[in-house]
Amino acid sequence: ISSSSSEFQSIHSWLPLIKSVKSGNLFPSKPNIDITSSSFLFYPYLTLWIYGLMAWLIGLKGVITFSIVVFPVCSFYLLYRIFSRQLSEMWSIAISLTCILAFSDWPFRSFLAGAIKGLSISELTTIQPLEITHYPFPSLSVFIFLLLFYFSTKQKKLTFARITLFTCLWGLFSQIHAVDALYGLAFWFIYFPIQVFKQSGRQLDKIYIKTIISQVLIGFLLVSPILFH
């Protein structure tokens, strides 16, 4: 039985922060030393607040249950719905399962090499949780990323209000997971200009340019705390 780095971080790094937020300290700084110590640091505060609220409502056991069961199952369902837009049901399920069933310390290349050499199952495998079950990352962050991706790519007309809504949501996602937010914003600022360009009859007018500039400013404003902290 082995313990991955993600599992170690969940227990020894993030859990003390979650306990501190649960106790009412919204900006914890030294949870392992003083649970009441407060300071504005480079933390994903929305993640901490969501988990702190969950811990307050359903306890730490409930938080762990959500992380290892509810969020991964919801992520699988969202993946299935996303892939099923273009693929058959069986392919959607298979690819979704492939995305979910991943272990941080079980390299697929090493597994194949060992299988070719004829190693036994006990030598090929390791007993550890799925990578997606670790909290708060990637359990919560993957779920929210997929949720935003699913709704932002639904085939609906992109009005200025709808574009602004998803720009704000992708920007606020930086307080869930900073790196994933950069990927999400990069996708969004490629996706919505193309969709608006198609909707407008492929015309580059002043409204189109103003829309893009305004959304860039909104996105930049929302991610500025992580860029300049």
Side-chain angles (χ1 to χ4, degrees), residues 36 51 65 92 99 103 149 189 220 225-227:
T36 62
Y51 268 90
T65 300
S92 299
C99 294
F103 301 87
F149 183 90
F189 280 104
F220 181 78
I226 69 169
L227 294 176

Side-chain angles (χ1 to χ4, degrees), residues 65-81:
T65 300
F66 261 78
S67 297
I68 67 176
V69 178
V70 178
F71 290 148
V73 170
C74 291
S75 295
F76 168 77
Y77 177 72
L78 288 169
L79 281 168
Y80 165 75
R81 292 296 299 271

Side-chain angles (χ1 to χ4, degrees), residues 42-66:
F42 187 71
Y43 284 138
Y45 285 108
L46 280 180
T47 295
L48 295 179
W49 295 344
I50 290 171
Y51 268 90
L53 178 62
M54 288 172 56
W56 182 71
L57 291 172
I58 58 178
L60 291 176
K61 289 184 178 179
V63 167
I64 294 172
T65 300
F66 261 78

Side-chain angles (χ1 to χ4, degrees), residues 48-218:
L48 295 179
W49 295 344
I50 290 171
Y51 268 90
L53 178 62
M54 288 172 56
W56 182 71
L57 291 172
I58 58 178
L60 291 176
K61 289 184 178 179
V63 167
I64 294 172
T65 300
F66 261 78
S67 297
I68 67 176
V69 178
V70 178
F71 290 148
V73 170
C74 291
S75 295
F76 168 77
Y77 177 72
L78 288 169
L79 281 168
Y80 165 75
R81 292 296 299 271
I82 292 168
F83 286 126
S84 63
R85 291 172 177 173
Q86 304 294 333
L87 302 173
S88 66
E89 182 178 358
M90 289 303 297
W91 272 108
S92 299
I93 293 174
I95 296 176
S96 299
L97 282 173
T98 303
C99 294
I100 294 296
L101 300 177
F103 301 87
S104 59
D105 294 334
W106 191 17
F108 188 63
R109 185 169 54 185
S110 299
F111 170 79
L112 286 179
I116 293 172
K117 293 177 181 178
L119 298 179
S120 64
I121 292 295
S122 60
E123 294 177 290
L124 289 173
T125 61
T126 180
I127 301 174
Q128 60 174 272
L130 292 171
E131 179 64 18
I132 199 170
T133 63
H134 295 128
Y135 61 90
F137 311 122
S139 181
L140 176 67
S141 57
V142 168
F143 166 65
I144 295 182
F145 183 95
L146 292 172
L147 194 67
L148 287 176
F149 183 90
Y150 175 75
F151 282 105
S152 61
T153 55
K154 292 196 76 171
Q155 294 301 310
K156 289 186 177 181
K157 185 178 180 180
L158 286 176
T159 61
F160 183 81
R162 184 176 176 83
I163 294 170
T164 303
L165 171 64
F166 283 107
T167 299
C168 290
L169 290 175
W170 281 115
L172 289 173
F173 186 62
S174 62
Q175 292 299 321
I176 299 289
H177 193 288
V179 176
D180 287 356
L182 296 178
Y183 289 122
L185 283 167
F187 149 75
W188 179 241
F189 280 104
I190 293 172
Y191 175 80
F192 91 76
I194 293 174
Q195 294 300 111
V196 173
F197 181 68
K198 291 179 179 178
Q199 287 179 187
S200 64
R202 303 178 186 277
Q203 294 180 352
L204 293 173
D205 53 19
K206 290 183 178 179
I207 296 177
Y208 177 80
I209 296 173
K210 287 181 179 179
T211 299
I212 294 178
I213 292 175
S214 65
Q215 299 307 309
V216 169
L217 292 174
I218 293 171

